Every structure is written in structure tokens, then in C-alpha cells.
Amino acid sequence: MGWRLTLRPYVLIVPALLLTCGILYPFGLGLYYTLFDFSASKPQPDMVRFENYRAVFTQEAFWNSAWVTVLYAVGAALTETVLGVAVALLLHRSSLLGRVLEKILILPLMIAPVIAAIIWKLMLQPSVGVVNHLLRPLGLGGVQWTDTPTGALLSSIAVDVWVYTPFVAILALAGLRSLPTSPFEAAAVDGAGWWYTFRRLTLPMLWPYVLVAVIFRFMDSLKVFDIIYALTEGGPGDSTVVLQIRAYLEAIRFQRYSFGISYTIVLWAVVYLAAMVLVKHLGKIQRKAAEVTT
């Protein structure tokens, strides 16, 4: 019996160890490949050390993709946060309509993002799309939604917002329902208005939940691929070529494998640093929220 107790901690750690190896081995192998010049035209590669990274950072296409990625991530995360919190505040009021809408809210989350993008691509068609058909009586029909650089980027962000705003709303709604009631009761006794209560009590205590949603959505938006590729394939031109799509084009379409992997490593570093900054800020927000509740 004693040897079983001794081995139990080691047995329990095996799944976590296998998962860690399954994550680190491909990552380490990809990092190793970036030190060579693997490509379809060069099956016997030479070691070039950090030449691929130098080429990435000196390529104008990289900076264009980085700028598009930042615009997409900031625009999507900010819009989803504002809309998600607004929807959560509306649903927080107990009513039959609120409970019904709460169930409907999760429907976009049940659709794969690439399928949602294909659906919206058909709906945004200038001639036969249902969106222009509905806008035609208002004199807004015939809009080229994805045929212009600005329109393509905004359309991609709009699809992302449609898919993932329910995620932010559900998370914010859970946060609202977990807030203590005593501060709000005291504010009501003192005659505080809705705006004052929201600004001084609700929002400060809700910030940790909102920031968690921002972290998830911002990180996911930085490495987006499926929505943009299904909707615009990075076009028109390279107006919606984010870093993930640029890595795909270099590694798969142009068959410059090491160079494409270098793009993904750079993107990983960006996502990692952004996550570190946001998580550190989350700790400060949580401490401030704790001070409000006390």
C-alpha cells in the first residue's frame, strides 16, 4: 500500500507532462527550423542562423501585416467589449425577455468562425447579398463591402464582432451576477442615480471580468486566420493580410517553410508579450476592485 501512495503523485503528473511535451516539442522543432533555409526549392538546407528573422523585420510586407493585425485586434476587441458589456447590462435586469435573449445570445458561438465568415461573405455580396437588399430601400444598396481595402477590414471586424460579442456579454453578465449587493443597497439608500452607481460601483468591480474578456479576445484577434481568410483571403491586395495569413502565404503558398515559420515565431513573441502586460494589469485591477467592495 505504501508504494502506491509513493507513486501516486508521479502517476498523476504524467498527463500534464505528456501535454507539456506535446506542446514544447513542435514549438522547439519549429524554432530550430527557423535557423535554416528550408524551402521547396532547397531540400538540402543550409544553416543561416538568424537571417530569416532579419529578413522578416526588413520586409515591408511584415510591417504592413503587423499594422493590419494591430488595427484588426484593437478594433475587434474594443467593439466587442463595449457591445458585450452593454448587452450584459441589459440582460442583467430580470425579465422573461432577458432570459429568452440570454439563450439566443449563445447561437453565434455555436457556429464555427470559418462557417460564419462564409455565410457573411454571401450576405455581403454587392449584387445578390441580403444586406444590400435590405439597405436598398434606404438608398444604401450596392455597397462594395469587401471590394475596397477599408471595407474589407471593417467587414472582417464586423464578422468577428458578430461571432464573439456573445462571449464577452456572457462573461460580463456572470460578473454582474457575482457582485455583492450591499454596496448597491447602500447607494440606493443614499439616493445615488444610475449613472453614479454604474461609474463608481458597477464598473470598478466589473473591470476584472471585463479585462479577462479583453485578454481572451485581444490575444485571439492577434492570431486570427479563419475569419479573414474565409471572407477576403487577405484581399483586396494585401489590405487584410494579417501576420497569420502572411505566415501561411510564405510557408504554404510560396513554399518558403523556414521563412514562414519565422513569421509565426515573431507572432508568438508579440502575443506572449501582450499577454504578459495585460495579465500584469489585471492584477492591479483586481486589487482596486477588492478595495471598492470593502
Side-chain angles (χ1 to χ4, degrees):
M1 187 67 179
W3 65 270
R4 292 183 179 178
L5 294 176
T6 303
L7 289 177
R8 183 177 297 174
Y10 300 99
V11 173
L12 293 176
I13 204 174
V14 168
L17 184 61
L18 292 175
L19 180 61
T20 303
C21 293
I23 294 173
L24 293 181
Y25 176 74
F27 178 79
L29 189 62
L31 194 62
Y32 175 72
Y33 284 159
T34 61
L35 303 178
F36 294 84
D37 56 352
F38 280 102
S39 67
S41 61
K42 196 167 187 181
Q44 299 298 326
D46 299 319
M47 176 173 280
V48 295
R49 291 185 171 84
F50 300 106
E51 183 64 25
N52 285 318
Y53 296 102
R54 187 199 66 79
V56 166
F57 287 111
T58 56
Q59 191 181 47
E60 185 179 352
F62 166 78
W63 296 107
N64 177 74
S65 295
W67 176 242
V68 173
T69 302
V70 171
L71 286 178
Y72 182 92
V74 172
L78 183 61
T79 306
E80 289 161 10
T81 301
V82 173
L83 292 179
V85 172
V87 171
L89 290 171
L90 292 175
L91 294 180
H92 186 52
R93 301 174 179 272
S94 297
S95 65
L96 177 61
L97 180 61
R99 289 192 294 270
V100 172
L101 291 177
E102 185 179 344
K103 304 300 185 294
I104 298 176
L105 191 65
I106 66 173
L107 290 178
L109 294 175
M110 300 171 65
I111 302 174
V114 65
I115 301 300
I118 293 173
I119 293 172
W120 276 97
K121 184 176 183 177
L122 296 174
M123 293 172 61
L124 294 175
Q125 286 293 322
S127 56
V128 297
V130 66
V131 174
N132 276 347
H133 177 73
L134 294 175
L135 293 177
R136 192 166 290 113
L138 303 176
L140 300 175
V143 177
Q144 306 292 323
W145 295 101
T146 59
D147 293 340
T148 62
T150 302
L153 182 60
L154 292 178
S155 298
S156 301
I157 293 175
V159 175
D160 196 296
V161 169
W162 183 81
V163 174
Y164 290 110
T165 295
F167 169 79
V168 180
I170 291 171
L171 193 57
L173 183 60
L176 285 171
R177 290 175 176 172
S178 66
L179 298 181
T181 58
S182 53
F184 298 97
E185 294 172 352
V189 170
D190 292 338
W194 178 88
W195 174 245
Y196 181 88
T197 303
F198 174 76
R199 186 165 52 92
R200 295 291 186 178
L201 293 177
T202 306
L203 193 58
M205 289 190 288
L206 189 63
W207 259 122
Y209 301 93
V210 174
L211 191 55
V212 168
V214 170
I215 292 174
F216 275 104
R217 291 306 314 133
F218 186 68
M219 297 302 100
D220 200 33
S221 298
L222 281 176
K223 51 189 181 64
V224 66
F225 176 85
D226 45 8
I227 289 177
I228 293 182
Y229 193 78
L231 187 67
T232 67
E233 295 187 12
D238 58 355
S239 59
T240 56
V241 177
V242 292
L243 288 174
Q244 280 278 53
I245 293 181
R246 180 68 65 186
Y248 164 79
L249 293 176
E250 295 290 348
I252 305 302
R253 185 168 296 180
F254 304 146
Q255 297 184 334
R256 298 193 291 179
Y257 309 126
S258 293
F259 192 59
I261 296 174
S262 300
Y263 263 96
T264 63
I265 296 298
V266 171
L267 178 59
W268 168 83
V270 171
V271 173
Y272 179 79
L273 292 175
M276 292 292 291
V277 171
L278 289 174
V279 169
K280 184 178 180 180
H281 189 60
L282 176 61
K284 296 179 181 179
I285 294 295
Q286 288 175 331
R287 289 191 291 272
K288 289 182 180 180
E291 293 174 0
V292 174
T293 57
T294 55

